[in-house]
Amino acid sequence: MNKLRFVHILLFTTAICFFLPPIAARGGHSDYIRPGPPQKTYSFYLSGDGSSSFQGTARNLFAQVEPRPSAELARGYMTNDDLEKAMKDFTKRCSKISRLYSIGKSVNGFPLWVIEISDRPGEIEAEPAFKYIGNVHGDEPVGRELLIRLANWICDNYKKDPLAQMIVENVHLHILPSLNPDAFTVRTRNNANNVDLNRDFPDQFFPLNEDLGLRQPETRAIMTWLMDTRFTASATLHGGALVANFPWDGTEDKRKYYYACPDDETFRFLARIYSKSHRNMSLSKEFEEGITNGASWYPIYGGMQDWNYIHGGCFELTLEISDNKWPKAAELPTIWDYNRKSMLNLVASLVKTGVHGRIFSLDQGKPLPGLVVVKGINYTVKAHQAYADYHRLLAPGRKYEVTASSPGYKPKTTTVWLGDDAVNVDFILIPEASSQGNLLRSICDCSGQPFLPQFFTVTNNGITFTLIVVVAFLCFLLQRRVRFNLLKQRQSSRRSTTV
Ligand SMILES: *[C@@H]1O[C@H](CO)[C@@H](O)[C@H](O)[C@H]1NC(C)=O
Ligand SMILES: *[C@@H]1O[C@H](CO)[C@@H](O)[C@H](O)[C@H]1NC(C)=O
Ligand SMILES: [Zn+2]
């Protein structure tokens, strides 16, 4: 290699290092690079073929800059073995309301353990599910400590504390204290393959990480988990700041500005539930009310949060719970105390707020795995495949037009006034076209136009009248049966309607 060429390569490498995009962000207050003006240089990071190798290089270059915190920092924190033991002990002690399972393994083969808390753990019920994930970044260990405390607190209190009881009885709470056990051991951010797991998800704007084979085992575990389990909402715990962060995390043009997702209002509501219940998150000087839109703080790509909302049907927040990534272990009880109410309230919001219900067919009241949309919000919530329950989180204090639909059925729309409490709306859908029972169905279609008076004017003899009375009575019985079934299946005593 001649000297000139070598100098060129050197210059080129330096230039790239200089323009390196802020890939270390979200979860790192102290170590993120605030994005400057729009950077064209992102393109190298996104280049189609061969991008993976370049990405790897970028990550390696960056990782060399990252100082590794000393072992002294982790003094008093649970090791991975301690955590595993704590989780196993928990599910033994609280076996009535919990179970332990693994969603996969880390690069180095450590199981990614999850505790599920519910009065019927492991069973599928017509209830919303919530997940908490900690330690996505190996050097942000506070979340894993809080999550095991959360599990134990619920177990100790669900018979006396109304919030804990509500969670156990009406939610399936899944807790994954550590997504990145390998990196925790060596106190680094990235996993054992030196990849930032919070940049490893498919991105909505840029074809990052499109190759499934190149995705990290920890990322893949999360993605498979979401295919198997329907989650209504979730939160991931990070460290390095104190703020509740909500979608979108990235912008289309990589610039930094408030970029609202379709459910912006709902997300602001959820983020506020966390920050306002927290001892001092909402007092933040940097973030108004202690909440922030991700892209307005700093845009990231390939993050877990946006992917959850787009592909998982799951409303996810990214919670930064401690300015200091490694507070002294002696401070952990205080931090837990600061976060306890927030953590409980966020999970309970799945029951206490929003519009919930089930979708049924008028034929024998069979559950329909239909879709629920709200006028003005470009987002679809799916009812459960088997139970047809749906859970639509929405900001309170407004009227919403809610529509349920299912292929082969007439969609039904109803207006819901959503106050501070959750509302239950069950939909009974009428088959679109069917050879038999059309008369019965059209009379039964309470949302349809007045049918009977019109009928009277056309035929006005005694026989028809008797027939109509009989049919109407049958219809009444049928609807009553469907409603009665609904009532039996309904768990809570919230305000309910059937349409
Ligand atoms: C919240 O309290 C913690 C612990 O006392 C403190 O370190 C932090 O600065 C406080 N943050 C705000 C925004 O008040
Ligand atoms: C709704 O969102 C989808 C993506 O989820 C998008 O393709 C579509 O253009 C959006 N529609 C409107 C009217 O914004
Ligand atoms: Zn983080």
Side-chain angles (χ1 to χ4, degrees), residues 230 263 309 313 315 354-360 368-384 388-394 400-407 411-414 416 423-429 499:
R230 190 251 328 240
D263 277 294
Y309 177 58
F315 286 51
V355 180
H356 309 253
R358 298 180 67 185
I359 307 174
F360 294 93
L368 291 176
L371 305 175
V372 174
V373 292
V374 175
K375 192 177 172 188
I377 304 178
N378 185 12
Y379 191 78
T380 303
V381 166
K382 288 184 187 145
H384 188 268
D389 59 312
Y390 71 89
H391 307 278
R392 191 24 167 127
L393 298 178
L394 286 164
Y400 293 99
E401 233 177 81
V402 185
T403 301
S405 65
S406 187
K412 231 178 219 183
T413 300
T414 186
V416 178
V423 172
N424 205 101
V425 181
D426 292 320
F427 290 91
I428 301 174
L429 301 187
V499 293

Side-chain angles (χ1 to χ4, degrees), residues 99-412:
R99 73 174 173 124
L100 185 70
Y101 67 103
S102 157
I103 57 161
K105 284 187 172 166
S106 68
V107 173
N108 292 340
F110 206 88
L112 303 172
W113 291 116
V114 176
I115 289 173
E116 179 188 356
I117 296 180
S118 156
D119 55 353
R120 295 190 177 180
E123 281 180 46
I124 296 173
E125 297 186 89
E127 290 180 0
F130 188 99
K131 68 174 155 53
Y132 269 123
I133 300 180
N135 204 202
V136 174
H137 293 132
D139 61 344
E140 295 165 16
V142 175
R144 52 190 256 150
E145 293 278 344
L146 297 200
L147 287 175
I148 194 74
R149 280 173 167 83
L150 174 70
N152 278 300
W153 193 90
I154 292 176
C155 180
D156 293 338
N157 291 281
Y158 78 99
K159 285 184 180 147
K160 45 188 191 237
D161 180 85
L163 213 52
Q165 184 185 0
M166 176 183 273
I167 290 169
V168 169
E169 287 177 1
N170 302 296
V171 179
H172 285 250
L173 172 60
H174 298 252
I175 297 175
L176 168 59
S178 178
L179 178 62
N180 201 348
D182 299 349
F184 171 78
T185 324
V186 288
R187 299 170 304 285
T188 57
R189 176 186 182 86
N190 298 346
N191 79 345
N193 288 334
N194 200 14
V195 173
D196 185 335
L197 298 178
N198 204 29
R199 305 293 182 278
D200 198 39
F201 285 81
D203 191 83
Q204 63 171 324
F205 300 125
F206 305 105
L208 280 177
N209 320 318
E210 282 306 295
D211 191 337
L212 264 163
L214 290 177
R215 200 157 285 130
Q216 296 304 305
E218 294 89 351
T219 317
R220 247 182 286 146
I222 296 285
M223 293 175 71
T224 320
W225 193 19
L226 261 90
M227 275 169 224
D228 297 342
T229 311
R230 190 251 328 240
F231 289 104
T232 296
S234 63
T236 305
L237 306 180
H238 289 256
L242 192 66
V243 68
N245 177 102
F246 56 89
W248 297 126
D249 257 349
T251 57
E252 237 166 319
D253 58 6
K254 326 256 170 47
R255 299 214 328 258
K256 180 183 117 153
Y257 52 88
Y258 195 115
Y259 198 43
C261 74
D263 277 294
D264 190 56
E265 257 194 83
T266 306
F267 273 110
R268 295 180 64 85
F269 167 69
L270 293 172
R272 268 195 217 107
I273 287 180
Y274 201 91
S275 75
K276 297 237 161 109
S277 316
H278 188 277
R279 181 76 63 90
N280 68 0
M281 189 181 274
S282 63
L283 305 177
S284 169
K285 292 201 176 71
E286 188 179 359
F287 304 101
E288 205 182 329
E289 297 183 286
I291 65 173
T292 188
N293 170 267
S296 78
W297 185 14
Y298 56 94
I300 68 160
Y301 300 93
M304 189 191 290
Q305 173 189 270
D306 290 1
W307 184 85
N308 261 269
Y309 177 58
I310 298 167
H311 299 282
C314 176
F315 286 51
E316 175 154 296
L317 299 178
T318 306
L319 303 169
E320 306 279 353
I321 52 170
S322 168
D323 283 322
N324 183 353
K325 286 190 179 188
W326 294 90
K328 291 237 158 51
E331 286 174 42
L332 292 171
T334 309
I335 298 177
W336 158 238
D337 190 47
Y338 276 30
N339 285 277
R340 189 183 66 237
K341 257 203 238 144
S342 299
M343 293 174 92
L344 293 165
N345 280 338
L346 188 62
V347 180
S349 72
L350 260 56
V351 182
K352 288 162 88 173
T353 66
V355 180
H356 309 253
R358 298 180 67 185
I359 307 174
F360 294 93
S361 158
L362 185 61
D363 303 310
Q364 297 127 30
K366 136 180 103 125
L368 291 176
L371 305 175
V372 174
V373 292
V374 175
K375 192 177 172 188
I377 304 178
N378 185 12
Y379 191 78
T380 303
V381 166
K382 288 184 187 145
H384 188 268
Q385 207 59 33
Y387 289 89
D389 59 312
Y390 71 89
H391 307 278
R392 191 24 167 127
L393 298 178
L394 286 164
R398 265 190 49 187
K399 253 201 294 195
Y400 293 99
E401 233 177 81
V402 185
T403 301
S405 65
S406 187
Y409 290 82
K410 277 202 276 180
K412 231 178 219 183

Side-chain angles (χ1 to χ4, degrees), residues 8-149:
H8 275 152
I9 290 173
L10 198 70
L11 279 175
F12 180 67
T13 317
T14 314
I16 282 183
C17 291
F18 185 75
F19 287 113
L20 201 69
I23 55 165
R26 196 75 1 118
H29 185 262
S30 48
D31 66 0
Y32 76 78
I33 303 163
R34 284 190 183 277
Q39 294 173 343
K40 280 221 177 75
T41 44
Y42 273 98
S43 55
F44 90 81
Y45 180 46
L46 306 164
S47 64
D49 50 339
S51 65
S52 55
S53 61
F54 212 153
Q55 254 181 59
T57 311
R59 281 169 173 147
N60 286 331
L61 281 174
F62 201 85
Q64 282 160 13
V65 181
E66 185 186 23
R68 178 182 292 192
S70 81
E72 183 57 27
L73 286 175
R75 183 195 289 269
Y77 282 82
M78 284 181 289
T79 62
N80 288 333
D81 289 339
D82 294 340
L83 179 60
E84 185 176 42
K85 182 168 183 308
M87 292 175 79
K88 287 183 173 164
D89 288 350
F90 172 85
T91 38
K92 264 193 221 119
R93 183 168 81 85
C94 314
S95 59
K96 267 206 186 120
I97 58 152
S98 70
R99 73 174 173 124
L100 185 70
Y101 67 103
S102 157
I103 57 161
K105 284 187 172 166
S106 68
V107 173
N108 292 340
F110 206 88
L112 303 172
W113 291 116
V114 176
I115 289 173
E116 179 188 356
I117 296 180
S118 156
D119 55 353
R120 295 190 177 180
E123 281 180 46
I124 296 173
E125 297 186 89
E127 290 180 0
F130 188 99
K131 68 174 155 53
Y132 269 123
I133 300 180
N135 204 202
V136 174
H137 293 132
D139 61 344
E140 295 165 16
V142 175
R144 52 190 256 150
E145 293 278 344
L146 297 200
L147 287 175
I148 194 74
R149 280 173 167 83

